[in-house]
Amino acid sequence: MKVIILAGGLGTRISEETANKPKPMVLLDDKPILWHLMSIFAKQGFADFVIAAGYKGEVIQSWVGELNSPWQIQVVDTGLDTQTGGRIAQCMKLFPNERVMATYGDGLGNVNLNSLTDFHAHHGKKATVTAVRPPARFGVLESENGLVKHFGEKNQADAGWINGGFFVLEPEVYNLVNSDQEPFETGALPKLVKNQELMSFHHKGFWQPMDTLREKEDLMKLASTPLPPWLNLDHQSRG
């Protein structure tokens, strides 16, 4: 199964790092976050990658050309201003009638990919999204009549579930994207929900995006450990 990685956005929220390279090429330890993401898939037997490039895609193309690995990697220029739906659709068009996986190029998690794909195959719907707990960015304050009763870290379990990427998509999803300018999150996904064709795979293990410099620093520290949590499959969720 091919793995589409969205790697074409501008990365404006971490612009200090993305002036001369796309966000997925930001280094964690001595390798880009893109390499760490691909390692999650490859370690679990999925090593046929389609990178949906855009902003400074030549940096990714050059890196792939020099990469010494057994992975199959195709870099597709999906356009500078193309939105996530358009990028996914352009890649899916290259492989008609194939079920694919897709994810964001800036989010790492030890998602159990074989459980995810098994879950998708058995429910028979058109798409599966991996649901994750949002990272606790802020502390929480609880008060009663103005008196603070609790002050401390936010419990992630109280924050609900969000879209963590790590999608599995049937070929028909391609037809739900109207244009290159359509975000996947406001186009195809709501249509799938309306048609009762979107299922969620709940991942309770590690998941972390790289949306801020602080998150980048946190991921850098984890990347330097002998076994980063996104590769620790002994502690991954079973859905």
Side-chain angles (χ1 to χ4, degrees):
M1 194 184 307
K2 289 179 174 60
V3 180
I4 298 169
I5 298 178
L6 292 165
L10 291 172
T12 52
R13 283 179 292 181
I14 193 170
S15 58
E16 297 90 341
E17 287 280 350
T18 56
N20 61 354
K21 58 184 175 291
K23 190 176 178 186
M25 291 302 294
V26 171
L27 295 181
L28 300 180
D29 203 13
D30 63 343
K31 292 186 172 63
I33 188 173
L34 180 59
W35 181 89
H36 292 278
L37 177 60
M38 294 164 79
S39 295
I40 296 169
F41 286 89
K43 189 170 184 179
Q44 299 183 64
F46 301 90
D48 192 349
F49 299 103
V50 183
I51 301 176
Y55 172 69
K56 295 201 177 294
E58 68 277 5
V59 177
I60 296 177
Q61 186 71 66
S62 176
W63 174 73
V64 168
E66 297 173 1
L67 188 64
N68 183 18
S69 87
W71 305 340
Q72 296 293 316
I73 309 172
Q74 179 176 351
V75 181
V76 179
D77 181 3
T78 54
L80 181 62
D81 299 320
T82 304
Q83 297 295 311
T84 49
R87 296 191 196 281
I88 289 174
Q90 284 191 39
C91 292
M92 292 186 75
K93 187 177 181 179
L94 299 175
F95 312 102
N97 305 315
E98 286 189 30
R99 176 185 295 164
V100 300
M101 300 176 78
T103 198
Y104 302 104
D106 61 353
L108 301 175
N110 61 338
V111 178
N112 188 320
L113 300 173
N114 288 293
S115 290
L116 167 63
T117 52
D118 285 348
F119 172 76
H120 177 84
H122 284 95
H123 65 56
K125 301 290 187 181
K126 295 290 189 296
T128 300
V129 57
T130 295
V132 299
R133 297 292 192 188
R137 288 199 177 109
F138 303 100
V140 63
L141 185 155
E142 296 174 5
S143 66
E144 188 176 306
N145 297 321
L147 179 67
V148 175
K149 295 289 191 178
H150 173 80
F151 187 90
E153 290 298 312
K154 186 175 184 179
N155 185 346
Q156 280 187 283
D158 295 334
W161 298 90
I162 62 171
N163 165 18
F166 293 91
F167 301 97
V168 186
L169 309 173
E170 292 299 313
E172 295 88 345
V173 172
Y174 166 80
N175 297 316
L176 298 178
V177 179
N178 288 334
S179 75
D180 280 351
Q181 304 310 313
E182 185 176 271
F184 197 58
E185 302 76 17
T186 58
L189 289 180
K191 292 174 192 172
L192 287 162
V193 171
K194 182 179 179 181
N195 296 336
Q196 298 186 359
E197 289 287 349
L198 180 65
M199 298 288 284
S200 61
F201 177 83
H202 288 70
H203 171 61
K204 303 179 182 72
F206 176 86
W207 180 84
Q208 178 69 57
M210 188 182 67
D211 283 334
T212 65
L213 284 176
R214 177 182 173 182
E215 289 173 340
K216 180 231 173 184
E217 296 297 329
D218 290 342
L219 288 172
M220 278 188 67
K221 293 173 186 174
L222 294 172
S224 65
T225 62
L227 183 62
W230 52 86
L231 294 179
N232 187 353
L233 305 185
D234 291 335
H235 290 85
Q236 64 187 178
S237 170
R238 296 286 167 179

